Amino acid sequence: MNDNFKYLKNLFYGIKSRKFIESKYYDSGAAGKMFEILINKQLDNKCAADFFEIELKVSSVNSKYPITLFSSFPKIYNKSFEDSIVYLISNYGYSCDNDVKKLSICVKSNKIKYCKSGYGFMLKVSYKWNKIYLCIFYKNKITCTKFYWSFEQLYKIFENKLKNLAYITYIQKEINGKKYIYYNDLIFYKLKNPYLLIKAIEEGVIVINFNMILYGSNNIRYHGVNFAISYNNFHYIYEKIYK
């Protein structure tokens, strides 16, 4: 364990010793944001690890939700990021109000998942082309394979951001309308092999959650295309660094 791990470990146990700490935030990401403030880290969405070479993942001890590893929108030929989002939602999303379309769906490999629009979504790993394709179906027939993530793109994200993880669990309570957080445990992990990422996607261990809304023709509310894994499946791609 190098000095940065030891430094974070010391910071964590100093925070833990304070017991329940009043949060400045009240949303679903409050505990993570508050922890970053407590270690004097600026809040950001950079494509780099949170704390030196260590990515922070903060989760409730009772959480049954998968943990988001990173967010990455698939590429499509000859379209900008914003135009790609508009194209995906306008063509394959579903209406949820007047002039409002939405795409909120969890997609995995080799299993078609249909949404309210009648379109189905599935991931397909191609070792021939070194890509993961977002395959879109209508009435069980494939209608679009334009969207993809390259292996190189995903490896780069892991190399820059996710080689090492600090998994932090917390307990929270509310008193008189105020939220208090107790950070109770810290476990360090390191990536076994970046190639296992592709295998984990292929086997459905890592899923991709789409969450985005289009108002009118070009007003986007983008909540991410999130690659997620359950904590119980961490061992597929990570190994513990013992304290």
Side-chain angles (χ1 to χ4, degrees):
M1 189 180 293
N2 69 27
D3 289 344
N4 292 331
F5 285 85
K6 292 175 182 177
Y7 181 33
L8 180 57
K9 181 179 176 181
N10 289 337
L11 288 174
F12 171 82
Y13 281 103
I15 293 166
K16 181 176 180 177
S17 69
R18 294 167 60 181
K19 304 297 183 182
F20 281 92
I21 299 169
E22 184 179 347
S23 176
K24 296 180 179 180
Y25 304 95
Y26 289 86
D27 60 358
S28 59
K33 293 175 186 176
M34 194 64 200
F35 187 81
E36 291 189 3
I37 285 178
L38 292 168
I39 62 172
N40 294 317
K41 178 191 176 297
Q42 287 189 329
L43 302 179
D44 60 55
N45 290 307
K46 294 180 179 178
C47 294
D50 293 317
F51 188 85
F52 299 99
E53 73 276 26
I54 307 165
E55 179 73 1
L56 307 176
K57 296 298 177 186
V58 181
S59 179
S60 166
V61 292
N62 298 317
S63 177
K64 296 180 181 179
Y65 293 104
I67 295 151
T68 295
L69 294 170
F70 62 93
S71 183
S72 177
F73 194 85
K75 293 181 179 179
I76 183 172
Y77 298 108
N78 300 321
K79 287 190 181 293
S80 68
F81 175 70
E82 290 79 10
D83 288 345
S84 298
I85 296 173
V86 171
Y87 181 87
L88 181 62
I89 304 175
S90 60
N91 284 283
Y92 306 111
Y94 51 90
S95 298
C96 54
D97 206 342
N98 290 333
D99 213 23
V100 178
K101 297 192 82 171
K102 183 176 184 179
L103 184 60
S104 180
I105 192 168
C106 177
V107 184
K108 61 170 53 179
S109 177
N110 297 321
K111 184 176 181 180
I112 304 172
K113 179 73 175 290
Y114 282 89
C115 70
K116 295 176 183 178
S117 64
Y119 287 99
F121 298 80
M122 184 184 80
L123 304 176
K124 184 66 177 177
V125 175
S126 170
Y127 291 100
K128 179 180 179 180
W129 301 108
N130 289 326
K131 292 176 181 178
I132 297 168
Y133 289 95
L134 176 65
C135 301
I136 303 174
F137 295 78
Y138 188 71
K139 295 183 178 179
N140 289 325
K141 293 183 179 179
I142 197 157
T143 187
C144 177
T145 56
K146 295 179 181 179
F147 292 92
Y148 69 92
W149 299 264
S150 69
F151 289 6
E152 181 182 7
Q153 172 189 353
L154 300 181
Y155 292 151
K156 185 175 181 180
I157 292 171
F158 266 74
E159 179 66 25
N160 292 338
K161 187 175 178 69
L162 291 155
K163 286 192 297 186
N164 302 294
L165 289 185
Y167 181 71
I168 298 158
T169 54
Y170 69 90
I171 299 167
Q172 71 178 30
K173 63 182 179 181
E174 289 194 18
I175 302 175
N176 297 326
K178 294 183 178 180
K179 179 181 286 190
Y180 295 85
I181 301 169
Y182 171 59
Y183 298 93
N184 76 308
D185 199 16
L186 165 67
I187 304 173
F188 289 117
Y189 290 89
K190 67 177 180 180
L191 187 65
K192 291 179 181 178
N193 186 322
Y195 301 106
L196 292 173
L197 164 67
I198 305 302
K199 196 69 177 173
I201 294 171
E202 185 177 30
E203 294 180 358
V205 173
I206 292 176
V207 300
I208 304 179
N209 294 312
F210 288 76
N211 190 0
M212 57 196 75
I213 303 173
L214 179 64
Y215 297 90
S217 60
N218 60 7
N219 184 6
I220 302 164
R221 183 174 294 175
Y222 180 71
H223 297 290
V225 175
N226 299 318
F227 288 64
I229 187 171
S230 72
Y231 177 64
N232 290 336
N233 286 329
F234 262 31
H235 64 275
Y236 275 78
I237 55 175
Y238 286 102
E239 60 183 343
K240 286 184 181 181
I241 302 174
Y242 288 96
K243 302 174 184 178

